[in-house]
Amino acid sequence: MDRYHHAIEEFHRQWEPYGGPSPEAVFTEFGLTVNQFYARHRALTRGRRRADLDRTCVDDAVRNGQSDPQR
């Protein structure tokens, strides 16, 4: 991940507890509209969330006595 994408993730993480960044803050920091900012953030995190969800499902299956389907 390059610096720009890391900055988007960090900015999102910092503002998340406050309901997200204001349009002015996003534009000042990145030169993007809020919609563009969230679209980029979703694109960055989509694959990682999917992998986390898959791992959670496997962990749940193992805890419930099913074999690990990834083996």
Side-chain angles (χ1 to χ4, degrees):
M1 178 182 321
D2 64 21
R3 285 180 152 171
Y4 183 74
H5 294 132
H6 180 71
I8 287 175
E9 283 205 25
E10 186 60 30
F11 191 78
H12 182 269
R13 188 177 3 264
Q14 289 174 348
W15 279 95
E16 190 173 26
Y18 308 105
S22 69
E24 294 82 12
V26 171
F27 187 79
T28 299
E29 190 71 24
F30 299 103
L32 301 171
T33 67
V34 171
N35 289 339
Q36 291 169 325
F37 173 80
Y38 281 114
R40 289 190 187 195
H41 183 263
R42 278 191 307 277
L44 289 170
T45 59
R46 182 176 296 131
R48 194 169 38 248
R49 281 194 311 249
R50 174 71 184 176
D52 291 345
L53 178 60
D54 288 347
R55 187 70 238 165
T56 299
C57 290
V58 169
D59 291 345
D60 289 345
V62 170
R63 272 194 297 278
N64 291 323
Q66 300 168 4
S67 64
D68 187 340
Q70 291 185 349
R71 285 188 184 174

